[in-house]
Amino acid sequence: METRAGDPGAFAQFDLNRVDSPAFVVDAAKLRANLAVLADVRDRAGIKVLAALKAFSMWKVAPIVGEYLDGVCTSGLWEAKLAAEHYSGEIATYCAAYKAQDMAEILQLSDHVIFNSPGQHARFAGEIASAQAAGDQFDIGLRINPLHAEGEVPRYDPCAPHSRLGFPVDQLLPEHLEGVSGLHFHTLCEQDFEPLKRTWEALEARIAPYFGQLKWLNFGGGHHITRADYQRDDLVAFLREVKARTGCEIYLEPGEAVALDAGILVGTVLDTHWNGMQLGITDISATCHMPDVIEAPYRPAMLGELPIDEYEDGGEGGAPVRLGGPSCLAGDVIGDYRLPNGAEPGTRFAFLDQAHYSMVKTTTFNGVPLPSIWLWDSESDRLEKVKGFTYEDFRDRLS
Ligand SMILES: Cc1ncc(COP(=O)(O)O)c(C=O)c1O
């Protein structure tokens, strides 16, 4: 999978020795810039935009998110609790399947509770009635599967054959929408406007009979709205038209677009050796710190890296080095890079665009330490260590 982010922005001027290693550094100014773009789309289109906590939930910056957006979307009880404790605005919760023991609290915390199937909705009718009787105010939603695939990679395509995500729209019957105020679909991943438009064109006729009874439509995430070349004017025109035609409030819930290019992961080369090519072992692990590198897979861009093909053409600078983590996993390989400052042990480097889907996914497999978390503001140059992790954090998760 080819990522279309990786713009260094202000990080091009950041001295990597100002933080410990490994460390995530998030630029508050870039975050604000992304949020301003999302708020502008929201205002021009007359819709609501929620930030997807699954992508980026560094709650230290929750007040910044709250300044711009209408709230957050969450993936279950723990994110909904985090949202209620730290974020402002609406909370929309969707989970592929809820547990009975979580339901009462989810209904209490959330403004929208979105089910993945009419079956689960029906099974929780008792909990829903009790919550309503207790005065909890929430809308029920249903996630549908538009059965229109736009994904490049099946793993990231909720419309791939036999997908469990969303109720297949060809099975939707009027009785499935009793007590349902909104429909939700999420089918995109790092995509442009056209795939959203095509999805809507494939879906609209199937759900049009219900427009009169629905309050809202939620078009999920996966919209790369804050990428410089995203077609924002087309999106705004489309959203205005859909809102007018359906009479529904429209929601988008981007995650990646909120934090796009707003963070780096700083690491250090620990050792090098040769096995048919130059190898570098670093304190950043793909499997522990950037699992999408292996899962997607993709190659994260490096701050200031030298192009590999220029070396092949006899260009200046060092040979490519295959960087990998300190873990035991043979496949804990990040990729081949020509580091801007060479690859001697002790050299600092940074991977770009690591604020989303990395910080939220870290693990301590092999006892590999978690990266600390820093907040930088490239406008004021203020730098603050938000969080460091200790041996005790690792130990206390295990027994
Ligand atoms: C239901 C739902 N909403 C929103 C998102 C956020 O998507 P993205 O971060 O790609 O914008 C996801 C991502 O998987 C999702 O599953």
Side-chain angles (χ1 to χ4, degrees):
M1 186 170 174
E2 185 112 357
T3 179
R4 293 165 72 191
D7 179 352
F11 287 112
Q13 275 79 50
F14 184 76
D15 175 0
L16 302 182
N17 291 302
R18 290 173 75 186
V19 297
D20 54 357
S21 175
F24 290 106
V25 185
V26 170
D27 178 2
K30 175 62 178 162
L31 186 63
R32 284 195 299 269
N34 285 342
L35 290 164
V37 168
L38 293 170
D40 176 62
V41 166
R42 183 261 321 269
D43 294 340
R44 286 197 287 144
I47 62 154
K48 293 198 178 184
V49 177
L50 309 177
L53 289 192
K54 73 185 73 188
F56 179 64
S57 37
M58 178 181 167
W59 47 266
K60 175 82 181 177
V61 296
I64 303 180
V65 176
E67 268 174 52
Y68 293 86
L69 302 189
D70 300 285
V72 297
C73 76
T74 73
S75 317
L77 180 58
W78 284 6
E79 281 190 358
K81 285 177 84 153
L82 188 69
E85 278 174 23
H86 292 287
Y87 288 79
S88 54
E90 297 181 30
I91 300 176
T93 303
Y94 158 78
C95 185
Y98 296 103
K99 295 184 87 169
Q101 70 219 42
D102 296 346
M103 211 57 230
E105 210 173 346
I106 287 173
L107 291 165
Q108 195 214 328
L109 297 172
S110 312
D111 299 283
H112 293 182
V113 178
I114 300 163
F115 288 95
N116 194 53
S117 72
Q120 265 235 325
H121 178 205
R123 213 167 303 125
F124 286 121
E127 285 83 347
I128 292 168
S130 306
Q132 282 163 339
D136 292 344
Q137 300 211 334
F138 51 83
D139 282 355
I140 296 294
L142 177 68
R143 175 168 175 175
I144 51 172
N145 181 332
L147 301 172
H148 172 83
E150 286 283 352
E152 291 161 28
V153 182
R155 191 176 294 116
Y156 293 119
D157 182 1
C159 291
H162 315 302
S163 169
R164 74 189 187 293
L165 300 171
F167 187 64
V169 69
D170 61 352
Q171 297 174 38
L172 192 65
L173 298 172
E175 54 265 38
H176 295 142
L177 295 185
E178 272 165 36
V180 169
S181 305
L183 290 179
H184 174 287
F185 67 85
H186 166 81
T187 60
L188 305 179
C189 177
E190 291 195 354
Q191 269 156 317
D192 283 336
F193 166 63
E194 281 295 323
L196 171 64
K197 186 167 167 252
R198 287 194 294 266
T199 303
W200 177 252
E201 284 165 359
L203 178 66
E204 184 178 1
R206 291 186 192 264
I207 60 171
Y210 309 112
F211 289 161
Q213 70 189 79
L214 294 171
K215 265 168 73 180
W216 49 264
L217 295 167
N218 183 325
F219 293 172
H223 321 282
H224 235 194
I225 298 170
T226 49
R227 212 188 57 232
D229 59 349
Y230 185 92
Q231 308 76 23
R232 289 185 281 273
D233 292 341
D234 294 338
L235 175 69
V236 166
F238 164 80
L239 293 169
R240 287 172 67 91
E241 197 193 314
V242 171
K243 186 175 174 179
R245 263 221 311 278
T246 61
C248 294
E249 182 68 75
I250 310 291
Y251 285 80
L252 297 183
E253 46 181 40
E256 178 159 339
V258 170
L260 196 69
D261 284 329
I264 57 173
L265 178 54
V266 176
T268 304
V269 178
L270 303 177
D271 195 17
T272 57
H273 69 127
W274 176 269
N275 183 2
M277 72 175 292
Q278 195 61 35
L279 303 171
I281 299 170
T282 78
D283 60 356
I284 292 180
S285 157
T287 192
C288 299
H289 305 147
M290 301 187 293
D292 283 357
V293 166
I294 298 170
E295 258 179 47
Y298 84 105
R299 175 190 181 278
M302 177 182 280
L303 183 64
E305 67 178 302
L306 307 172
I308 299 229
D309 50 1
E310 278 178 20
Y311 179 76
E312 283 154 6
D313 293 344
E316 306 254 304
V321 182
R322 180 157 299 174
L323 296 183
S327 81
C328 66
L329 178 72
D332 189 357
V333 172
I334 302 165
D336 296 351
Y337 295 89
R338 292 178 69 213
L339 280 68
N341 302 310
E344 290 305 306
T347 304
R348 288 280 173 105
F349 59 88
F351 292 111
L352 297 172
D353 196 30
Q354 293 305 315
H356 57 82
Y357 292 113
S358 290
M359 201 191 293
V360 289
K361 286 193 171 188
T362 50
T363 72
T364 54
F365 176 52
N366 275 219
V368 172
L370 294 169
S372 55
I373 298 173
W374 294 72
L375 184 60
W376 179 51
D377 189 325
S378 57
E379 272 167 16
S380 63
D381 200 32
R382 187 169 183 274
L383 179 68
E384 175 192 357
K385 185 170 184 175
V386 171
K387 184 90 184 155
F389 297 94
T390 61
Y391 159 69
E392 287 74 20
D393 294 317
F394 160 67
R395 180 193 67 194
D396 294 347
R397 280 183 56 221
L398 295 171
S399 282

